[in-house]
Amino acid sequence: MKASYIAWCAVMVILLAEAVEVSTAVTCSPTQLSSCVSAITSSSPPSQLCCSKIKEQKPCLCLYLKNPNLKKFINTGNARKVASTCGTPFPKC
């Protein structure tokens, strides 16, 4: 009886851990960074919306950098400066 209860608890912990991961998953969508275009293409500071979107999309930045169509926009000094200003430096991919 005690062993089955421990096994049941272990299964519940695993299921809850997986549920937490699913709920914190990010949908990678480069269009989410559209609020950052003016800051990336000029010297204007990033908006609060831009910074929140960069932080939200941070797990996706390496994916974007591997995409040749996106890399030319994202792999720039200005884009890195905007991310750094937002407190979200680019990850090392």
Side-chain angles (χ1 to χ4, degrees):
M1 173 87 172
K2 189 174 184 179
S4 64
Y5 178 75
I6 292 172
W8 180 82
C9 287
V11 168
M12 291 306 292
V13 167
I14 291 169
L15 290 174
L16 288 172
E18 288 179 359
V20 169
E21 286 183 80
V22 169
S23 67
T24 60
V26 174
T27 300
C28 294
S29 174
T31 59
Q32 293 293 312
L33 299 175
S34 62
S35 59
C36 300
V37 170
S38 64
I40 291 172
T41 59
S42 70
S43 58
S44 64
S47 65
Q48 287 182 342
L49 177 61
C50 169
C51 288
S52 70
K53 292 298 182 178
I54 287 179
K55 289 176 184 172
E56 178 185 292
Q57 293 288 305
K58 184 177 180 177
C60 306
L61 292 177
C62 287
L63 179 68
Y64 299 158
L65 287 169
K66 292 176 184 174
N67 181 324
N69 296 321
L70 299 174
K71 184 177 180 176
K72 58 187 170 189
F73 300 108
I74 295 176
N75 195 24
T76 66
N78 243 13
R80 291 179 186 278
K81 182 179 175 185
V82 168
S84 181
T85 300
C86 291
T88 309
F90 269 46
K92 295 184 182 188
C93 303

